[in-house]
Amino acid sequence: MTQPARIAMLGGTFDPVHIGHLRSAVELRDSLGLDTVHMIPAPQPPLRGAPQVSPHQRLALLEAAIGDTPGLKADARELEREGPSFSVDTLRSLRQEYGDQARLVMAIGWDAFLRLAQWHKPEQLFAFAHLVVIARPGHTEEPSASLLELLGEREVDSVSRLMAVPHGRMLRVTLPTAMAISATQIRQWLSEGKSVRYLVPEAVESTILNEGLYQRW
Ligand code: ATP
């Protein structure tokens, strides 16, 4: 019998995409044995202010960053939808695409996880997907009581327990290369005319510089 598809969604603002996102996606693919990691830019994330660079520019940077990396996909589905982008809607659409038996994972960094209880209908996420939380350097705060309540008994301690069922479980992972890189820091440096070389792929750096993105000087 063929193994059910293993699919992950890594959503974000990607404002801009950096190697912290990209290494996380590759290492997640390898640690969980994933077929595809959908990297999905949000048009305007509900819990953040408006990004300075348009959604389509952020998508173009993401496409350039991924290039032909096997198993990684720049996915425009949230940009094609009207209204606010909620992860539960994105997971519903991935579930429809891959079917009932697929193992569907929503992957988020520890910082995003800490805010999960404030998301739109967070408990519904588990009806469509597993939650995989990636440790992120500099983010060590403990989950709130409401977050722990939301997780209930869902947490498991291995990939095989996670992948035993199509959705509904939670796993914390520490990937081999934890990187203290944030898009906030990259935007800050670009706005000050400082170099971001090696923090973003070459194709992303050259597009940013050629098009004058994030630069205020
Ligand atoms: P910002 O600094 O603008 O908030 P960011 O660098 O956190 O941006 P996002 O686009 O908000 O990037 O992140 C998308 C997802 O990737 C989130 O779940 C976030 O936790 C995760 N992530 C971002 N950077 C890293 C990193 N260096 N290591 C692991 N996960 C990361």
Side-chain angles (χ1 to χ4, degrees), residues 15 24 62 67:
D15 189 26
S24 295
L62 183 60

Side-chain angles (χ1 to χ4, degrees), residues 10-15 18 20-21 24 48 107-112 134-137 179-185 187:
L10 179 62
T13 320
F14 303 116
D15 189 26
H18 53 70
H21 298 128
S24 295
R48 272 195 42 164
I108 55 177
W110 188 257
D111 57 308
I134 305 168
R136 193 170 171 187
M179 286 194 250
I181 301 177
S182 75
T184 304
Q185 182 67 79
R187 290 194 302 276

Side-chain angles (χ1 to χ4, degrees), residues 94-137:
L94 284 165
R95 176 56 75 193
Q96 274 164 3
E97 184 176 330
Y98 286 102
D100 286 352
Q101 287 310 305
R103 276 42 179 167
L104 184 57
V105 165
M106 182 176 84
I108 55 177
W110 188 257
D111 57 308
F113 168 63
L114 291 173
R115 297 189 302 267
L116 187 73
Q118 302 155 48
W119 288 20
H120 180 70
K121 302 189 178 160
E123 65 294 336
Q124 278 197 10
L125 302 170
F126 293 107
F128 297 109
H130 296 305
L131 177 66
V132 169
V133 183
I134 305 168
R136 193 170 171 187

Side-chain angles (χ1 to χ4, degrees), residues 67-208:
D68 59 3
T69 309
L72 266 50
K73 185 176 162 129
D75 182 331
R77 77 184 67 211
E78 289 195 1
L79 307 188
E80 287 153 7
R81 214 163 45 217
E82 297 284 315
S85 53
F86 294 122
S87 297
V88 67
D89 298 327
T90 309
L91 292 170
R92 183 183 290 110
S93 109
L94 284 165
R95 176 56 75 193
Q96 274 164 3
E97 184 176 330
Y98 286 102
D100 286 352
Q101 287 310 305
R103 276 42 179 167
L104 184 57
V105 165
M106 182 176 84
I108 55 177
W110 188 257
D111 57 308
F113 168 63
L114 291 173
R115 297 189 302 267
L116 187 73
Q118 302 155 48
W119 288 20
H120 180 70
K121 302 189 178 160
E123 65 294 336
Q124 278 197 10
L125 302 170
F126 293 107
F128 297 109
H130 296 305
L131 177 66
V132 169
V133 183
I134 305 168
R136 193 170 171 187
H139 297 274
T140 51
E141 207 184 309
E142 286 304 309
S144 63
S146 54
L147 188 47
L148 290 175
E149 194 182 322
L150 176 71
L151 294 180
E153 304 289 305
R154 298 182 184 283
E155 186 162 357
V156 293
D157 60 3
S158 69
V159 173
S160 56
R161 288 209 174 88
L162 188 81
M163 293 298 183
V165 294
H167 60 92
R169 296 185 176 172
M170 184 265 189
L171 179 70
R172 306 181 197 208
V173 293
T174 300
L175 297 174
T177 319
M179 286 194 250
I181 301 177
S182 75
T184 304
Q185 182 67 79
I186 290 172
R187 290 194 302 276
Q188 176 69 30
W189 279 331
L190 286 166
S191 76
E192 294 168 359
K194 291 184 180 153
S195 172
V196 295
R197 179 148 304 182
Y198 309 128
L199 294 177
V200 298
E202 240 175 86
V204 171
E205 187 194 12
S206 59
T207 307
I208 286 175

Side-chain angles (χ1 to χ4, degrees), residues 21-23 25-27 29 35-39 65-74:
H21 298 128
L22 295 159
R23 274 308 303 175
V26 166
E27 291 177 10
R29 181 199 67 194
D35 299 298
T36 309
V37 180
H38 290 253
M39 298 181 74
I66 291 176
D68 59 3
T69 309
L72 266 50
K73 185 176 162 129

